[in-house]
Each structure stands twice: as structure tokens, then as C-alpha cells.
Amino acid sequence: MTERVRADEGHHDNSVSRRAFMHRGLSAGALLFAPAALGRGMPHEVSKPLRSVATRVPTDPFTLGVASGEPTADGIVLWTRLAPEPLADDGLGGMAHHSVAVDWQLAEDPGFRRPVRTGTEHTDPATAHSVHVEVDGLAPAREYWYRFRVGHYQSPVGRTRTAPAATSLAPLFFASSSCAHWEHGYFTVYRHIANAAPDVIFCLGDYYYEGGPHYDPPLSAIVRTHVGRRCRSLSDYRRRHAQYKTDPDLQAAHAVAPWLVVPDDHEVENNWAGDHAYRPKDAHRFLTMRTAAYQAYWEHMPLRRASQPVGSHMQLFRTAKWGALATFHLLDTRQFRDAQACAGGEMPLCSPSRKETRTMLGAAQEAWLADGLTRSRARWDVLAQQVMFCSTARDFNGQGAMVPPDTVNVDCWDGYPAARDRLLSNVRAANLRNFAVLTGDVHNHWAADIPGLIDGLPMGAELVTSSVTSRGDGEPEPRWVPAAQRRHPNLHYWDGRRGWIAGHLTAERLRADYHVVQRVSTPFWPDSVAASFEMADGLPGLRRI
Ligand SMILES: [Fe+2]
């Protein structure tokens, strides 16, 4: 595709062709599924005209956009949800209580002249009329475009792509994001990610926030208000997801590339751990809340059926391979962890227990990860996970002295030191060629070497992405950072502004560009690269470039 199409209301000039059809210009109704485009030497299954489906959908049901995810070398998940009234009180998006047939189409070109798959999925209120299409049999390392139709209504067009073949060392351009709070700012970071059009987008948790209106406001400004109360029922979580998904910048990021997602705490409630609520008030109902939250999360994310929740459990740890270049180990650091040390959160005067039995991942996930690392032959093994892996513990008085008691973020791996040591031992035993960790959660950028257990020499790198909006407009450096850096010289870089990481992975190096936006309290703020680091193949540790 070569045409230039403006992607939004005019504040970005998109000249990269593959970005160009993801937005309003080609949205609902603008392109009908074109029977004339079908049957020109296509495989038999696509030569049939698409069935027009009679439904009772009263108005455009595609208000939440489209998404794709879970790319493999031959497959992808396509997602949408029918919601003509996305904020309807019952959480069902204004849909009637009956099953609806949704046509979908996947093509090799944005004009759908070369369709390769079509189909019809039936969806109903049990999954809030969400649609998850698992397409397989596709070509590796290929771009595809997709769309949905119900009756006369057609969805926006999304772009997606498959992973390379198993032996490929073709480069990967990925984006890392986390922590998007509706009230704390505009989702400008998502718009910049969409404009960059990466191959894959990671969302490392806090995709939304569960709190009620004006809970925990930032210093800058509340720019818009959460719908409904603090989430605790299925309809609460569904409405909250739907509200976020109405954001055009978020829709643009979903429509531009496949996502790989892992939830963190705020998809259920702040700082929860295992089967334990953080808020005493929620203790008696926590697993009911988690059941509802997981159901809504699955409904709104481009996940496979293998992740569909069963009661209060959801299968989230999994592997994503990008040819021979990279194996991503997506972790679940919430569902199986022990309760937090001390009183939880960022705690002064806390020395978390080093008890051997304390776990962050749970025994089954730990064994799965150790096995996956041992078997891996990838050039790069990367953990995609939620909470800060390297230590930021600092002495309570902020002087950098090497003595406890500390101020420790016990929600992070600092609160589970024995579990972190075990993971590092497993990494060492697996003799990986290259090791890196992608992290979100802490609303700051960090670039860090991961120190070895015995010698302290770098074993790899941790790339921590700041938030999309959480905590509002940030600052480049707060007062406590020097104390942490004196204590931990492996912490190379910190930035408290909002942003995302652009990761460029090749056979020779991992490069991370730390993007920042100065303000999220004002829409359309431009982004810039505040710092760049790289790690060379076979040389663990980061170098600023
Ligand atoms: Fe967060």
C-alpha cells in the first residue's frame, strides 16, 4: 500500500503506508465487504460472497474498535466486541440478549483485494458479545489486514502480522507499554506507538484502573472521569474496559499491530497478591472480584481460548516465539504470589523475608519457566512481566548507606528476594546466549543491568517502561533516585515522565529508545527520545548510545 492517509484529526502526519488505514477514514460503513474483490483466483473458501447477517443491532456496534494478538508463525487472534452503547449500566454494551453472527475477513492488502480467510463467529451475552477469532495456516512474517461486519455495519480495519518462521533471525521492532489511567491523562503515548507502527506491542499490565471517580488524583490534573463506582462486579469491570476502549488513541494502537498482554494488579484491584485482597474491605469477596475481573479481561483482550478463565483462575503465563531471534516468556506475577511483606506497597523500614519458600510465580510457573529457559535456543530470551525485577531498595534516610532498614517496594521482586534468586539461578543454569527483562508497573523509565548473584557482573538487562498516563505529568528525576543509584550502580537511567520504549532487536543487538512526553494533561503532546541504550549479542549489560 502506498497512499498517504491522515490518521486522525490532523495533528500527526502519517507518511508510513502501513499505518494509513487504521482510523476513522476507513471506519464503519466506509468500506463494505466487497464481493467484487472476491473470487479472483482466490482459494475456494474465499470465493464465496460473504453472508449478509440479519441482526437486531440498532446502531453501529463497533464503538470499541478492533484488535489482534498472540502472533505465531502461522496464526493470529482477531478481536472485536459489539457494543452500540459501550457504557450501558448492565455492562452488556446495549446489546439485546441473543446470539449474533459476526462476519470477519482477513486479507493480504488493506484494500481487501487479496482476501485469504473469511468466516463467521457467533457471539452472545455470556462473553459480552466479544469476538475472538483464532486464525491459523497463515504465512510467516507477513502483514495482514482484517475487519468485521454485522448486518450493514462494518468495523474499522486493523493491521496485524505473523511472527517469522522458526529459523529466521529477521529483526523485530516492538513497543513496551504499561499503566494507562483514564483520569490521569490523555493516551497520547498510545497514539505515538500507533504512529510508529511496531511489529508487536507489549502491554505489561495496568491496562486500566479499577478505582472509582477521582480516586487517587495526580498532581497535574484529572482530565476525564471514570464511569461507575470502584469495580467489583462483572458489569463494573465490563463498563470500565469499554470506557477505555472508546479512546481513539488506544483504538489506534490496537489497530496497528498485534498485542501481547499480561495483566498486573489494577485489572482487579491495587496490590493484590495470590488469593489475597490488599484492601481489608475486599477480603471476603476477593475471589468473586477476581473471577469477574478475569472474565472481563479475557472478553476485552485479543487472547486465545486457552486463556479463557475458569472460575477465578486464568492461564496467563505463556511463550511467544519470534523466529530464532527471540523467545518471550510472558509471566504472571500476581496470581500465584505470596502475600506482600510488611504492610505492602512502597514501605519504609521493611526487610522482606528471605524465606526460601516465599514465591512470586508459584511452583508450577517457576518449573515451567526453568524448563522453557533450559530448552530455548533463541538468540535472545526475554521475560515480559509486570513488576520491577532489579532492586531499588534504598536506605530509609536516603543517604545510600549499605545498611538496613530500607525503603523497599515490596510489591516488586524486592519483596520476594528468594524467588528472584531462584530465577537468576535458573537463568544462569540455562546458559542463555542473551537475557533481558521487560517491565512496567512503576510509572518510571528505568534502564538497568541485571547483576549476577555471586559476582555481581551483568547477566542481562532490564528495560522498565514508564506509564502511559498514571500519576499524570511527571518529572525527569525525583529526589530519592540518587540514593537508589548509589546503592545500586547497575541502575543506569531513570525518567519520571510518561512514555514508552521502542525496542529494536536484531541478531547483533538489542536497542531500547526511551520515549517521553512532557505532558499528558494536555492532548497531542509530541514525543521525543530521552535516552537510548543497547546491549550487544554475547555482551550482557547496557551501554548508553
Ligand atoms: Fe500502574
Side-chain angles (χ1 to χ4, degrees):
M1 173 167 166
T2 54
E3 67 262 46
R4 290 167 66 102
V5 177
R6 292 190 71 79
D8 52 21
E9 288 70 35
H11 58 280
H12 297 294
D13 179 14
N14 285 331
S15 56
V16 176
S17 62
R18 63 187 182 177
R19 304 168 191 162
F21 50 87
M22 60 194 179
H23 300 301
R24 302 298 179 199
L26 296 179
S27 66
L31 275 179
L32 292 176
F33 282 24
L38 303 176
R40 300 187 316 165
M42 304 306 159
H44 176 69
E45 65 178 296
V46 298
S47 64
K48 295 178 285 187
L50 289 167
R51 189 162 62 89
S52 182
V53 181
T55 75
R56 294 180 203 165
V57 177
T59 54
D60 180 8
F62 296 109
T63 59
L64 306 183
V66 299
S68 69
E70 304 295 304
T72 62
D74 74 340
I76 197 76
V77 176
L78 310 178
W79 175 93
T80 193
R81 182 191 159 201
L82 310 180
E85 298 169 35
L87 305 185
D89 285 347
D90 64 0
L92 291 174
M95 292 294 290
H97 286 258
H98 58 66
S99 173
V100 176
V102 182
D103 294 335
W104 58 271
Q105 188 178 41
L106 184 83
E108 290 178 343
D109 67 301
F112 291 83
R113 292 179 188 84
R114 298 193 304 278
V116 292
R117 292 282 191 287
T118 64
T120 301
E121 290 275 315
H122 289 81
T123 183
D124 60 37
T127 58
H129 288 99
S130 60
V131 179
H132 297 74
V133 181
E134 295 189 30
V135 189
D136 56 18
L138 302 177
R142 236 355 220 282
E143 283 183 294
Y144 292 97
W145 286 262
Y146 62 95
R147 57 189 178 181
F148 301 87
R149 187 180 70 172
V150 175
H152 297 298
Y153 294 105
Q154 184 170 297
S155 76
V157 172
R159 168 208 171 233
T160 190
R161 61 164 299 145
T162 50
T167 54
S168 171
L169 283 170
L172 166 65
F173 169 27
F174 65 87
S176 243
S177 69
S178 81
C179 298
H181 196 302
W182 179 263
E183 297 191 333
H184 290 190
Y186 295 98
F187 289 172
T188 315
V189 164
Y190 282 141
R191 175 65 63 175
H192 292 306
I193 292 174
N195 288 342
D199 297 321
V200 170
I201 297 169
F202 288 93
C203 176
L204 302 170
D206 294 356
Y207 179 81
Y208 71 87
Y209 282 75
E210 85 292 0
H214 295 199
Y215 175 77
D216 193 22
L219 287 175
S220 44
I222 289 178
V223 303
R224 47 192 177 175
T225 305
H226 273 152
V227 66
R229 60 179 181 176
R230 165 183 288 281
C231 294
R232 52 178 185 266
S233 71
L234 181 54
S235 55
D236 294 336
Y237 288 114
R238 281 172 167 165
R239 289 176 85 202
R240 191 59 59 82
H241 269 285
Q243 182 180 35
Y244 276 57
K245 278 255 174 28
T246 59
D247 183 276
D249 296 330
L250 177 55
Q251 288 193 10
H254 273 300
V256 80
W259 285 41
L260 286 164
V261 301
V262 284
D264 193 20
D265 52 343
H266 285 284
E267 282 83 352
V268 183
E269 77 161 17
N270 185 38
N271 277 354
W272 65 279
D275 293 345
H276 310 289
Y278 180 61
R279 298 173 78 234
K281 258 183 159 176
D282 291 331
H284 69 288
R285 61 186 174 199
F286 178 68
L287 287 183
T288 307
M289 288 171 58
R290 195 173 89 188
T291 301
Y294 274 179
Q295 174 67 19
Y297 188 76
W298 185 82
E299 289 169 354
H300 290 83
M301 289 295 172
L303 288 163
R304 292 184 183 275
R305 277 184 290 276
S307 292
Q308 193 161 9
V310 178
S312 63
H313 171 71
M314 190 170 183
Q315 182 58 45
L316 288 160
F317 62 84
R318 60 201 191 275
T319 304
K321 293 191 172 177
W322 200 262
L325 182 73
T327 294
F328 294 96
H329 308 267
L330 287 89
L331 304 188
D332 179 350
T333 59
R334 284 285 157 196
Q335 198 173 174
F336 310 106
R337 64 158 74 185
D338 285 326
Q340 293 188 359
C342 306
E346 177 89 351
M347 283 303 298
L349 304 175
C350 177
S351 297
S353 164
R354 300 195 64 86
K355 214 162 87 181
E356 274 300 312
T357 52
R358 267 178 67 74
T359 185
M360 179 66 117
L361 301 177
Q365 185 177 190
E366 249 184 60
W368 163 85
L369 179 60
D371 184 59
L373 293 171
T374 305
R375 288 169 186 270
S376 177
R377 297 290 173 268
R379 180 67 57 104
W380 301 84
D381 278 276
V382 183
L383 307 187
Q385 56 99 52
Q386 297 83 354
V387 291
M388 187 102 185
F389 188 74
C390 288
S391 181
T392 56
R394 57 202 181 276
D395 70 292
F396 178 56
N397 292 318
Q399 302 303 310
M402 299 293 284
V403 290
D406 291 327
T407 295
V408 177
N409 189 339
V410 296
D411 189 49
C412 295
W413 287 86
D414 264 346
Y416 301 82
R420 178 168 54 197
D421 289 355
R422 281 196 303 276
L423 198 158
L424 287 174
S425 296
N426 290 334
V427 169
R428 177 71 74 198
N431 203 20
L432 304 175
R433 179 155 174 165
N434 296 293
F435 175 59
V437 178
L438 306 181
T439 302
D441 179 62
V442 288
H443 309 169
N444 310 304
H445 281 322
W446 288 95
D449 292 344
I450 298 171
L453 274 178
I454 298 164
D455 53 16
L457 294 173
M459 293 176 63
E462 181 173 16
L463 312 175
V464 183
T465 185
S466 187
S467 65
V468 172
T469 60
S470 300
R471 307 307 315 145
D473 300 338
E475 55 179 339
E477 187 165 309
R479 275 167 296 167
W480 63 269
V481 167
Q485 286 179 320
R486 273 196 298 275
R487 183 81 164 268
H488 308 283
N490 59 304
L491 301 173
H492 294 306
Y493 162 70
W494 188 96
D495 199 309
R497 291 171 289 187
R498 311 288 69 89
W500 61 289
I501 295 176
H504 300 273
L505 195 54
T506 67
E508 292 79 33
R509 60 188 46 82
L510 165 62
R511 173 188 169 128
D513 293 331
Y514 286 81
H515 287 252
V516 296
V517 293
Q518 294 282 1
R519 285 191 194 165
V520 291
S521 58
T522 308
F524 310 139
W525 208 264
D527 90 337
S528 57
V529 175
S532 294
F533 289 83
E534 73 170 29
M535 182 163 79
D537 173 35
L539 284 174
L542 292 169
R543 186 171 65 88
R544 191 156 186 165
I545 54 176

